[in-house]
Amino acid sequence: MPAPLAPALAGMFDLTGKRGLVLGIANEHSIAAGCARAFAACGATLAATYLNEKSKPYVTAVTDTLPCEILLPGDVREPGMLEAVFAEITRSWGRLDFLLHAIAFAPRDDLHGRVVDCSAAGFASAMDISCHSFLRAAKLAEPLMQSGGTLLAVTFYGSERVVAHYNLMGPVKAALESSVRYAAAELGAKGIRVHAISPGPIMTRAASGIERFDELLARTSATAPENQPVTIEDVGGLAAFLVSDAAKMITGTVIPVDGGQHLLA
Ligand code: NAD
């Protein structure tokens, strides 16, 4: 006798009718692009942002292939820009089901030096763009998630252990993960779930700013239990699951999608 629950269970992974905002597409190689494609493949309708006019064509190369109904500039350093994105979502959709924050930045000199040498201004800038902007986005998303929703951030294992050359981004990602846990506790009663996805190294524009990233990539693909590089499609699969109803009782986690690299001493 086939299980009568099977069709309902399959439907839990379906994102048809859900609307999500994707922050952090720089180009087709971005983790946010892999996630946006996965959300769309599961039936979601999207909104997205681009950093500036120069980056816009690389972003539209991704969003033009997707059911992306809203595309606006979204430099989180610019006062009012994030607010304008949420105002447009409120006007067009009146609600939001999920949000992906895949944004990170650290000034080059601070990123390439020792953590103990980093400047106050560099530290503040990295924290503001890579961490506090997630909390600002969460606050703006909250009133749009009256029927619940999911907020996702993207972190890295260098938050927990010292990874050579990850430097300043280590403490910044640690703060981001802690922010995820507090936001999950604060928003859980409203049915808003909050997670950090922690991918293994993937060659992207942001990653190319980390010194000797190619060595990190080669080393982790060779030593991780699954023995192969992580792709943006792998991250997209996890992201789509987390925003689906199938994950409705999971919140406040940091989930590695790294082929098991985090297991190793
Ligand atoms: P990416 O360069 O494709 O994306 C980084 C994004 O940050 C870009 O879209 C860029 O425009 C955006 N950004 C930077 N400053 C901004 C600002 N002021 N306002 C708005 N957006 C801004 O690189 P990625 O690797 O896809 O990075 C996405 C996320 O994944 C980041 O949080 C990164 O730390 C994280 N991550 C990356 C890896 C990796 O190996 N690539 C691993 C773990 C976590």
Side-chain angles (χ1 to χ4, degrees):
M1 185 89 174
L5 280 178
L9 189 61
M12 290 169 84
F13 293 91
D14 187 3
L15 302 183
T16 303
K18 289 197 191 286
R19 295 185 164 106
L21 169 62
V22 176
L23 304 173
I25 302 175
N27 54 45
E28 61 179 332
H29 306 294
S30 295
I31 287 173
C35 294
R37 287 196 285 258
F39 296 143
C42 294
T45 302
L46 303 176
T49 57
Y50 53 91
L51 183 61
N52 51 37
E53 288 304 315
K54 202 173 140 203
S55 63
K56 190 176 177 184
Y58 301 97
V59 177
T60 55
V62 177
T63 55
D64 283 355
T65 66
L66 302 173
C68 182
E69 294 184 348
I70 299 168
L71 182 68
L72 287 169
D75 186 335
V76 298
R77 290 169 303 186
E78 294 291 329
M81 217 172 234
L82 210 47
E83 286 77 3
V85 173
F86 281 87
E88 181 54 32
I89 290 173
T90 306
R91 199 188 63 75
S92 300
W93 292 345
R95 61 169 237 265
L96 187 68
D97 298 298
F98 62 88
L99 162 84
L100 171 78
H101 175 287
I103 291 174
F105 175 81
R108 193 173 186 279
D109 287 349
D110 294 293
L111 180 62
H112 287 184
R114 302 186 308 170
V115 172
V116 291
D117 293 328
C118 85
S119 67
F123 189 84
S125 160
M127 281 291 277
D128 181 60
I129 295 172
S130 317
C131 178
H132 191 254
S133 67
F134 174 70
L135 292 172
R136 295 201 291 280
K139 186 175 168 69
L140 289 163
E142 183 183 0
L144 286 167
M145 294 185 165
Q146 298 292 331
S147 315
T150 313
L151 308 171
L152 301 178
V154 190
T155 186
F156 182 62
Y157 179 67
S159 61
E160 273 178 58
R161 293 280 184 270
V162 174
V163 173
H165 309 293
Y166 201 60
N167 302 347
L168 168 59
M169 285 311 292
V172 170
K173 291 299 192 190
L176 179 65
E177 291 172 17
S178 183
S179 302
V180 160
R181 285 187 284 272
Y182 277 86
E186 290 167 358
L187 301 174
K190 294 187 172 176
I192 301 174
R193 301 179 289 105
V194 193
H195 297 284
I197 294 175
S198 188
I202 302 172
M203 188 46 90
T204 60
R205 226 186 60 201
S208 65
I210 293 164
E211 280 187 307
R212 300 196 183 186
F213 187 79
D214 48 345
E215 290 173 21
L216 176 66
L217 190 59
R219 195 169 61 244
T220 47
S221 326
T223 57
E226 292 199 64
N227 226 237
Q228 51 183 311
V230 177
T231 67
I232 60 172
E233 286 72 29
D234 297 325
V235 184
L238 174 61
F241 163 69
L242 288 173
V243 306
S244 78
D245 295 345
K248 80 173 171 39
M249 287 306 290
I250 312 172
T251 192
T253 67
V254 176
I255 305 188
V257 49
D258 66 351
Q261 180 70 23
H262 67 283
L263 298 168
L264 305 181

